[in-house]
C-alpha cells in the first residue's frame, strides 16, 4: 500500500474511535474538540426567495424566512418533498440563483459578508455534465491540470488526480470511458463520483451537492454518501447537500437536517433529535421504518386528496405542517440553532485561506486544446460523420459537373458548383452542433465553478477544431474541384480550399454564438439554419446584387453575410484572367473575358482582389469568436449585476445585503 493511502485509512480509523465514544451512534462524526479550525462556517438568517408570478403579476414565495448554519466537519442534509425549495436553498447559499428570483436575508461566511475565493467552495450539480469520450483518469487529470496552480508539477497534479479517484473509490474503473449517447460506460453512481472528484481536486472547504444520490439504488447511494462523509470528516470540509429520500444508513451519516415544506422550515437541527421532535408532536416514527420516509410522508401534501378519500382518518397535511412549524419554533432546538448562528457570526473569522491560484492561461489553453482535440477525435458525430458525408457530397458534385470544360457554356455550371460549395457544404457544418452543445454544457459547469476563463475555451476550441476543418475542407474539396475540372494551377486550388475552410470556421463560430444564446439542439439548429438560409438568399447569386431589394436584403444582409465574399472570391479565382469561347448567332467563333463575366454576369465588385474577400471572411471569423466571448461575458455580468442589484434592496430594515459565496468568476 502507498504511504499516502496508509495514512488516510489510519486517520479515518482514529476518527471512528473518536466517534464511537460519543452518543451519536455508529456514524463517522467529528467530536466538537477535534473539529478543524480553518474551515468555512456558513450561516443564513431569515433567508427568503421569491419569483415573479407571470399569471397574477405578483410574486410567488419559494423560501420563507429560513435560518440555519453549516460548520466544518459536518454534513447538512436539506430534505423535503418535491418542490419544497431544496435546490433553491442550495442555489441561494451558493450564489447561483436564477436572475429572475429575488432574495433577502443574510448569508454570512464565517460571520462576514464576503465572497469565497476561487478553490474555497465547489458545487456538484445534479446532472453529470462530463465529456463522455474521456476515461475517468483522463477526465480527472485534465481537470487537475486546469484547476491546480502552475507551481505544482505535472507529477504532483497526476498524483492528486489519482489520489482523489481512489478517495472516491473509482480505482477499478480508472480507464473506463464515461460513456453516454448509447455507448455504455460508467454507472450512474460512478458518474456522480467522477463529478465529485473533479470538484474536490482543489480541496475546497465548502462543498455543495445537489441531490448526489438521485437515480441511485440504496446501496449505491450509501456508497457515494459514505465516501463523501469520509472526505468531509477527514479534511474538515463543510458539506451541504440536498437529498430526496435517503435510506436509514445514509440518513445516519448526516449531522444536521434542514427539513423544508413549501419553502418553510419544518425542522432544522441535529438529526438525532428529529425523531423525538416528530414523536412529541404526535407523529412517532413506527419501528423498523426508515425515519426519512416517515418525515417526508408526514409533511407531503401533494397527495392530500387521496388521504381524504381514504380511510386513514388523518388530519389534512397542511394542518400537520403548520403544527410542526409552530411547534418547532418553541423547541430548544430552534433556540439552539438561533444561538449557534449568532455565536458563529459573533466569533467571526475573516482569515479564510488565501485565494488558490489557477493554472497559467497558456497551460489552460494547451490543456483545453488537447482535451478538446481528443474528444473531437473520439466523438464520431463531431467531425468523422460529417467527413463521410462531405466525401459523398463531393463525389456527387464531382460526378454531376464532371469535367464541364472551359467553353462559355461551362461558366454557368462552374458558377453553380462554386455556389453549392460555398453555401451548402459549409451549411452542413451545423451537423456538429449537438456535440458542440454538449461541450458548452461542460464549459458552463466548469466556468461556473471557476476552473478556467472564457478566453481559454474560445482559443482552445478554435485550435482543436482547425486540423479537422482543414481535413474536411481539403480532401472532399479536392475531390469536387478536380472532378469538375476547375481552374488549373495549385494556387487556385489553395485559394478555393482556403475559402471553404474559412467559411466552415465561420459557420462554426456562428453556431457557437447560437449555442450561447439558445442552448437547445432543436432550436439551435433551426435558428442556425434559418440565419444561413437568409444569408444564402442575400449573397448575390439567386438574385444579382443590383436586383436585390435595398431594404434588408442589400443593406445590410448582402454586406454582412459571408456568402457575398465567398461567391465573389471564388468567382474571381475561377474566371479572372480566363477566356471563354462561344459561337455567335451566325456560327462565328468568339471569346469572352473572365473579367467581362465577373462584371456583367455576376456583378462582382472588381475594385479589390480575391484575397481581400478571403481576408474579410477571416476577419468575420475573428469578430464572431470575439462576439461569442463578449456574449458569454455579458450574460455573466448581467446575471451577477442583477443579483447585486436585488441584494441591495432589503426586504425590511433589518435585512442586509446578502453575500454571494460562489460569485461568478471574474477572470
Ligand atoms: N426560477 C424559478 N422560476 C419560477 N419558479 C421557480 C424557480 N425556481 C424554483 N421555482 C419553483 O420553486 C419551487 C421549489 O423549487 P425547487 O427546485 O427548489 O424544489 P426542490 O425541493 O428542489 O424540488 P425537487 O426535489 O423536485 O427537485 C418549485 O415549485 C419550482 O417550480
Amino acid at each position: 500500500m502507498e504511504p499516502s493511502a496508509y495514512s488516510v485509512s489510519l486517520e479515518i480509523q482514529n476518527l471512528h474511535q473518536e466517534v464511537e465514544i460519543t452518543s451519536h451512534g455508529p456514524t463517522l462524526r467529528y467530536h466538537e474538540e477535534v473539529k478543524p479550525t480553518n474551515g468555512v462556517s456558513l450561516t443564513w438568517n431569515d433567508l427568503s426567495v421569491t419569483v415573479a408570478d407571470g399569471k397574477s403579476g405578483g410574486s410567488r414565495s419559494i423560501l420563507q424566512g429560513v435560518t440555519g448554519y453549516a460548520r466544518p466537519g459536518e454534513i447538512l442534509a436539506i430534505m423535503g418533498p418535491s418542490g419544497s425549495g431544496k435546490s433553491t436553498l442550495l442555489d441561494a447559499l451558493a450564489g447561483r440563483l436564477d436572475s429572475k428570483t429575488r432574495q433577502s436575508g443574510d448569508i454570512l461566511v464565517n460571520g462576514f459578508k464576503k465572497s469565497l475565493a476561487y478553490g474555497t467552495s465547489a458545487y456538484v450539480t445534479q446532472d453529470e455534465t462530463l465529456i463522455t469520450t474521456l476515461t475517468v483518469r483522463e477526465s480527472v487529470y485534465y481537470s487537475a491540470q486546469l484547476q491546480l496552480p502552475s507551481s505544482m508539477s505535472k507529477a504532483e497534479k497526476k498524483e492528486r488526480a489519482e489520489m482523489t479517484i481512489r478517495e472516491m473509490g473509482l480505482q477499478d474503473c480508472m480507464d473506463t470511458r464515461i460513456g453516454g449517447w448509447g455507448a455504455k460506460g460508467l454507472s450512474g453512481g460512478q458518474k456522480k463520483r467522477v463529478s465529485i472528484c473533479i470538484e474536490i481536486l482543489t480541496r475546497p472547504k465548502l462543498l455543495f451537492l445537489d441531490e448526489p444520490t438521485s437515480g441511485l439504488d440504496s446501496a449505491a447511494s450509501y456508497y457515494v454518501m459514505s465516501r463523501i462523509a469520509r472526505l468531509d470528516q477527514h479534511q474538515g470540509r463543510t458539506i451541504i447537500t440536498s437529498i430526496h429520500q435517503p435510506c436509514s444508513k445514509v440518513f445516519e451519516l448526516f449531522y444536521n437536517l434542514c427539513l423544508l415544506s413549501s419553502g418553510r422550515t419544518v425542522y432544522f437541527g441535529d438529526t438525532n433529535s428529529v425523531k423525538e421532535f416528530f414523536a412529541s408532536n404526535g407523529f412517532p416514527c413506527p419501528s423498523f421504518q426508515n425515519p426519512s420516509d416517515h418525515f417526508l410522508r408526514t409533511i407531503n401534501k401533494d397527495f392530500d386528496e387521496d388521504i381524504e378519500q381514504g380511510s386513514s382518518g388523518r388530519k389534512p397535511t397542511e394542518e400537520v405542517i403548520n403544527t410542526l412549524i409552530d411547534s418547532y419554533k418553541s423547541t430548544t432546538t430552534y433556540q439552539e440553532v438561533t444561538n449557534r448562528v449568532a455565536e458563529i457570526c459573533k466569533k467571526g473569522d475573516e482569515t479564510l485561506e488565501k485565494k488558490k491560484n489557477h493554472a497559467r492561461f497558456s497551460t489552460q489553453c494547451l490543456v483545453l486544446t488537447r482535451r478538446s482535440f481528443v474528444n473531437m477525435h473520439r466523438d464520431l458525430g463531431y467531425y468523422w460523420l460529417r467527413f463521410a458525408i462531405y466525401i459523398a457530397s463531393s463525389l456527387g458534385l464531382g460526378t454531376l459537373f464532371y469535367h464541364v470544360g472551359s467553353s462559355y457554356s461551362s461558366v454557368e455550371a462552374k458558377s453553380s458548383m462554386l455556389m453549392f460549395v460555398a453555401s451548402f457544404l459549409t451549411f452542413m457544418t451545423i451537423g456538429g452542433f449537438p456535440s458542440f452543445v454538449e461541450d458548452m454544457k461542460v464549459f458552463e459547469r466548469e466556468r461556473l465553478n471557476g476552473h478556467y476563463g472564457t478566453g481559454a475555451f474560445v482559443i482552445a476550441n478554435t485550435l482543436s477544431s482547425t486540423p479537422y476543418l482543414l481535413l474536411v475542407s481539403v480532401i472532399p474539396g479536392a475531390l469536387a474541384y478536380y472532378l469538375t475540372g476547375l481552374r488549373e494551377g495549385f494556387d487556385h486550388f489553395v485559394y478555393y480550399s482556403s475559402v471553404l475552410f474559412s467559411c466552415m470556421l465561420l459557420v462554426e463560430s456562428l453556431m457557437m454564438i447560437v449555442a450561447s444564446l439558445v442552448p437547445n439542439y432543436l432550436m439551435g439548429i433551426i435558428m442556425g439554419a434559418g440565419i444561413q438560409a437568409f444569408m444564402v438568399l442575400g449573397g448575390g447569386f439567386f438574385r444579382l446584387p443590383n436586383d436585390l431589394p435595398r431594404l434588408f436584403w442589400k443593406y445590410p444582409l448582402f454586406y454582412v453575410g459571408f456568402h457575398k465574399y465567398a461567391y465573389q472570391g471564388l468567382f474571381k479565382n475561377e474566371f479572372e484572367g480566363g477566356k471563354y469561347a462561344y459561337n455567335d448567332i451566325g456560327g462565328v467563333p468568339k471569346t469572352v473575358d473572365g473579367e467581362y463575366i465577373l462584371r456583367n454576369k455576376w456583378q462582382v465588385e472588381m475594385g479589390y482582389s480575391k484575397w481581400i474577400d478571403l481576408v474579410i471572411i477571416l476577419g468575420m471569423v475573428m469578430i464572431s469568436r470575439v462576439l461569442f466571448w463578449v456574449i458569454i461575458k455579458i450574460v455573466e455580468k448581467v446575471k451577477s449585476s442583477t443579483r447585486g442589484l436585488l441584494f441591495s434592496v432589503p426586504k425590511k430594515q433589518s435585512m442586509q445585503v446578502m453575500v454571494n459565496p460562489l460569485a461568478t468568476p471574474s477572470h
Side-chain angles (χ1 to χ4, degrees):
M1 191 185 275
E2 289 174 40
S4 58
Y6 182 67
S7 76
V8 167
S9 65
L10 235 166
E11 285 195 48
I12 288 167
Q13 265 189 320
N14 285 343
L15 185 73
H16 244 294
Q17 286 166 6
E18 190 80 47
V19 168
E20 267 152 21
I21 299 166
T22 71
S23 57
H24 288 306
T27 54
L28 292 165
R29 287 174 183 174
Y30 264 108
H31 213 280
E32 283 286 314
E33 289 77 21
V34 295
K35 236 171 249 171
T37 48
N38 66 339
V40 171
S41 293
L42 196 67
T43 55
W44 54 102
N45 197 5
D46 204 11
L47 178 65
S48 296
V49 175
T50 54
V51 64
D53 192 341
K55 279 185 202 158
S56 67
S59 63
R60 188 159 68 90
S61 185
I62 304 179
L63 287 179
Q64 296 175 40
V66 178
T67 297
Y69 65 91
R71 292 185 304 176
E74 295 178 356
I75 304 183
L76 166 68
I78 304 171
M79 279 172 48
S82 185
S84 57
K86 301 183 290 294
S87 303
T88 306
L89 176 57
L90 203 66
D91 287 348
L93 297 178
R96 285 181 168 230
L97 273 184
D98 196 305
S99 56
K100 289 174 202 138
T101 54
R102 289 175 171 268
Q103 66 183 76
S104 57
D106 275 343
I107 299 180
L108 305 179
V109 178
N110 285 352
F112 285 88
K113 286 172 194 159
K114 61 182 288 181
S115 305
L116 286 174
Y118 162 72
T120 312
S121 72
Y123 191 110
V124 181
T125 50
Q126 225 182 101
D127 36 297
E128 305 95 26
T129 39
L130 298 164
I131 300 178
T132 55
T133 55
L134 300 182
T135 64
V136 173
R137 192 196 298 272
E138 287 168 339
S139 301
V140 182
Y141 180 49
Y142 278 128
S143 205
Q145 286 176 289
L146 289 169
Q147 294 187 67
L148 298 174
S150 297
S151 56
M152 280 176 83
S153 69
K154 272 190 176 178
E156 283 172 319
K157 289 182 183 179
K158 197 165 193 169
E159 198 188 312
R160 173 79 69 93
E162 293 194 356
M163 195 169 95
T164 313
I165 292 172
R166 280 198 298 273
E167 278 174 348
M168 290 310 290
L170 290 166
Q171 59 280 2
D172 294 338
C173 51
M174 274 213 195
D175 296 309
T176 309
R177 287 199 189 172
I178 306 289
W181 282 66
K184 180 71 187 137
L186 299 183
S187 70
Q190 287 168 332
K191 280 186 194 165
K192 213 131 252 176
R193 279 185 278 155
V194 175
S195 302
I196 297 169
C197 271
I198 289 172
E199 297 309 333
I200 61 173
L201 278 168
T202 55
R203 304 291 182 244
K205 290 284 166 201
L206 177 59
L207 185 62
F208 297 97
L209 298 156
D210 192 7
E211 303 196 0
T213 60
S214 63
L216 305 185
D217 61 46
S218 59
S221 301
Y222 178 71
Y223 198 58
V224 170
M225 281 314 297
S226 59
R227 289 280 168 177
I228 294 167
R230 249 187 248 183
L231 285 172
D232 147 52
Q233 317 254 312
H234 179 58
Q235 293 162 2
R237 191 167 290 147
T238 308
I239 298 185
I240 306 179
T241 178
S242 67
I243 193 156
H244 250 128
Q245 197 158 11
C247 64
S248 44
K249 290 297 283 176
V250 170
F251 189 74
E252 283 170 9
L253 295 170
F254 304 138
Y255 197 96
N256 278 329
L257 169 71
C258 172
L259 193 59
L260 296 174
S261 172
S262 310
R264 294 177 297 166
T265 308
V266 174
Y267 178 85
F268 186 103
D270 194 327
T271 42
N272 289 307
S273 312
V274 62
K275 261 187 178 179
E276 205 180 296
F277 168 72
F278 270 74
S280 66
N281 283 286
F283 307 102
C285 179
S287 321
F288 308 114
Q289 188 169 340
N290 173 6
S292 57
D293 278 352
H294 172 69
F295 307 143
L296 292 176
R297 241 192 99 224
T298 311
I299 61 168
N300 193 335
K301 59 182 180 182
D302 294 347
F303 307 99
D304 251 13
E305 266 178 37
D306 300 349
I307 294 166
E308 278 160 22
Q309 284 160 14
S311 56
S312 63
R314 281 175 54 181
K315 275 198 221 175
T317 312
E318 189 65 50
E319 214 176 289
V320 172
I321 294 167
N322 288 336
T323 309
L324 288 169
I325 289 172
D326 292 342
S327 160
Y328 169 67
K329 286 193 178 140
S330 61
T331 58
T332 51
T333 311
Y334 174 71
Q335 210 47 55
E336 271 167 32
V337 170
T338 328
N339 292 344
R340 191 143 289 166
V341 169
E343 193 186 299
I344 295 170
C345 296
K346 201 169 136 208
K347 229 196 284 170
D349 175 13
E350 218 176 349
T351 57
L352 269 177
E353 54 182 320
K354 272 191 277 165
K355 183 178 191 251
K356 292 177 183 168
N357 290 324
H358 284 91
R360 265 194 298 270
F361 181 73
S362 54
T363 313
Q364 290 181 1
C365 292
L366 207 72
V367 174
L368 283 173
T369 305
R370 208 177 304 141
R371 187 178 79 172
S372 176
F373 187 85
V374 171
N375 179 41
M376 286 168 179
H377 172 70
R378 292 184 190 165
D379 180 352
L380 288 182
Y382 224 126
Y383 286 110
W384 298 124
L385 198 62
R386 236 188 303 160
F387 182 62
I389 291 171
Y390 277 130
I391 294 275
S393 312
S394 299
L395 282 174
L397 204 57
T399 47
L400 185 71
F401 292 102
Y402 185 66
H403 283 182
V404 287
S406 55
S407 65
Y408 183 71
S409 62
S410 72
V411 169
E412 193 73 45
K414 285 177 178 170
S415 304
S416 303
M417 183 271 180
L418 289 170
M419 189 282 299
F420 187 89
V421 167
S423 316
F424 297 104
L425 280 192
T426 57
F427 185 87
M428 283 192 275
T429 302
I430 61 172
F433 189 67
S435 299
F436 183 68
V437 169
E438 290 302 311
D439 266 10
M440 281 291 287
K441 284 185 192 161
V442 174
F443 163 66
E444 273 161 26
R445 174 181 59 75
E446 294 179 329
R447 175 81 191 119
L448 261 176
N449 279 325
H451 295 186
Y452 50 83
T454 314
F457 174 75
V458 176
I459 292 173
N461 192 278
T462 310
L463 294 179
S464 56
S465 63
T466 300
Y468 296 100
L469 285 178
L470 270 175
L471 192 76
V472 295
S473 52
V474 173
I475 297 178
L479 275 175
Y481 193 90
Y482 289 108
L483 282 173
T484 307
L486 293 180
R487 187 100 179 243
E488 279 179 20
F490 189 63
D491 56 326
H492 287 282
F493 171 69
V494 169
Y495 181 86
Y496 156 92
S497 348
S498 306
V499 169
L500 185 53
F501 167 74
S502 340
C503 290
M504 285 185 182
L505 206 55
L506 186 55
V507 175
E508 281 218 340
S509 314
L510 176 76
M511 295 314 287
M512 280 167 97
I513 295 175
V514 171
S516 65
L517 298 170
V518 190
N520 168 300
Y521 298 145
L522 198 60
M523 278 173 73
I525 287 179
I526 292 171
M527 196 171 172
I531 294 170
Q532 284 193 74
F534 271 94
M535 287 202 285
V536 169
L537 288 175
F541 182 88
F542 292 104
R543 295 233 56 199
L544 291 173
N546 292 342
D547 300 334
L548 282 170
R550 294 174 82 77
L551 190 67
F552 177 69
W553 291 103
K554 181 119 188 203
Y555 305 105
L557 191 66
F558 177 63
Y559 291 100
V560 298
F562 73 90
H563 293 85
K564 172 210 169 195
Y565 307 98
Y567 297 158
Q568 297 203 352
L570 287 173
F571 288 172
K572 283 178 195 167
N573 185 51
E574 183 60 33
F575 303 122
E576 206 167 21
K579 298 239 180 272
Y580 299 89
Y582 72 100
N583 287 333
D584 209 349
I585 301 163
V588 186
K590 285 202 168 174
T591 56
V592 62
D593 289 352
E595 276 76 5
Y596 180 87
I597 292 167
L598 289 170
R599 271 183 219 282
N600 298 299
K601 183 169 173 58
W602 295 120
Q603 298 176 1
V604 170
E605 291 169 10
M606 296 298 287
Y608 52 89
S609 87
K610 64 182 182 185
W611 296 104
I612 300 289
D613 287 300
L614 180 61
V615 168
I616 292 174
I617 300 172
L618 287 171
M620 286 179 165
V621 172
M622 291 279 285
I623 292 171
S624 51
R625 299 263 157 169
V626 172
L627 199 63
F628 171 68
W629 179 82
V630 170
I631 289 173
I632 290 183
K633 286 279 175 197
I634 290 176
V635 170
E636 276 176 5
K637 277 269 178 306
V638 168
K639 276 187 181 167
S640 57
S641 66
T642 319
R643 281 181 197 143
L645 198 76
L646 295 171
F647 298 163
S648 62
V649 184
K651 193 173 81 174
K652 54 186 184 194
Q653 206 65 32
S654 64
M655 283 182 180
Q656 294 168 35
V657 179
M658 84 158 259
V659 73
N660 180 0
L662 253 181
T664 308
S666 57
H667 60 95

